Amino acid sequence: MNKSREWKGNTGGKTWGQKALILFFRLLDVRPGYCIMACVVPFYMLFSRRACNAIYRFFRKRCGYSKLQALVGTYKNHYAFGQVILDRFAVFAGKKHFFETEIIGDEHFRRLTAGDKGFIIAGAHVGNFEICGYLMHQNRKQIHALVYAGETKTVRENRARIFHTSHVRMIPVMHDMSHLFAVNDALQKGEIVSMPCDRNLGSAKTVACDFMGGKARFPTGAFALAVHFNVEALSIFVIKKSNRKYTVYVDPVEIEPSAANLSKRDKTELYVQAFAKKLASVVGRYPEQWFNYYDFWK
């Protein structure tokens, strides 16, 4: 993990280590990797204090845990994060059939993909959002997924290979904001744009929302696009339930019909707040799968 104030989102590890991990999972089940991860986590917590302290404070201040509960929760959180990373590399190694997927709310996704208009998929750094694109398949509409541009070549190539079978095209987030042209083009064509909605992607435009007992700033980008193009937005959260099972929660992000006459700016803010409320509900149920390793409320 990056130790800067706001974690940048790269997987971590050297290229040779990532290639070795893929080879490991081609030969063995992912579960031995979990056992190794369980032993490695305490050392990681010891030497990655900034990320560790951020999650510890999350459990103490936002979840109301005691000191001991927060320490245990911090370990479980780092272990869960290690598991979802290993799961990604197991899929890269051809083991995607090892995992089972349950979808709650799939009718919302099917309704929108059957229509002529595009829409927004709003994700977050809780659970394993990326693996959704590896395990689920559809060919009705092209999905354009905004991804971090600084990943290693190994991760980029394997992502592209597997996303291709799911009709997903990656759009790297660039400092010059050129990715916005691709996003606008996709929505104009009636296609799907997928993006994380709990971290800024280069834009400074945010909305302060009530979130887990405090105020946190959420980016407006995804929902500003939804308002501008008059398209719907779906929140999708992918939670790891067991070694083999993921549950995908699909739910429309909606505002009251009475807000129809508001300005675009006001409607955007309402959408952001509605998303933050949905995210808070999921994080409240699965706090050990909250993977923002910095002071989210600062």
Side-chain angles (χ1 to χ4, degrees), residues 18-170:
Q18 293 174 351
K19 289 182 177 180
L21 198 56
I22 294 172
L23 178 60
F24 178 86
F25 288 136
R26 283 176 181 164
L27 300 174
L28 296 172
D29 194 294
V30 69
R31 283 170 289 194
Y34 294 164
C35 295
I36 297 171
M37 182 62 65
C39 299
V40 169
V41 165
F43 296 96
Y44 185 87
M45 291 172 60
L46 182 63
F47 293 105
S48 183
R49 298 298 296 275
R50 189 185 296 267
C52 184
N53 289 340
I55 292 299
Y56 178 83
R57 288 193 297 270
F58 161 73
F59 284 116
R60 287 283 286 154
K61 294 183 179 180
R62 306 304 163 191
C63 301
Y65 285 12
S66 68
K67 291 181 179 180
L68 179 59
Q69 288 175 322
L71 182 61
V72 173
T74 301
Y75 172 85
K76 290 182 176 180
N77 172 273
H78 282 71
Y79 177 56
F81 182 70
Q83 284 185 305
V84 302
I85 293 296
L86 294 181
D87 289 352
R88 293 176 191 174
F89 281 91
V91 174
F92 292 165
K95 297 291 182 68
K96 67 180 179 180
H97 297 298
F98 173 81
F99 301 103
E100 302 171 1
T101 306
E102 175 191 24
I103 307 173
I104 298 175
D106 187 46
E107 66 275 11
H108 303 300
F109 183 83
R110 293 183 179 277
R111 172 179 61 85
L112 293 182
T113 54
D116 295 329
K117 298 178 71 173
F119 61 95
I120 302 288
I121 293 177
H125 292 82
V126 57
N128 198 351
F129 180 63
E130 182 178 322
I131 207 168
C132 184
Y134 300 156
L135 302 182
M136 298 172 62
H137 299 273
Q138 64 84 37
N139 55 14
R140 288 179 176 270
K141 289 181 181 286
Q142 180 76 51
I143 300 175
H144 302 263
L146 268 70
V147 298
Y148 175 64
E151 286 285 12
T152 65
K153 183 179 179 181
T154 300
V155 172
R156 293 197 309 270
E157 289 179 347
N158 280 281
R159 269 180 175 172
R161 174 175 57 84
I162 299 174
F163 276 158
H164 180 72
T165 65
S166 302
H167 219 49
V168 178
R169 171 178 173 260
M170 292 183 294

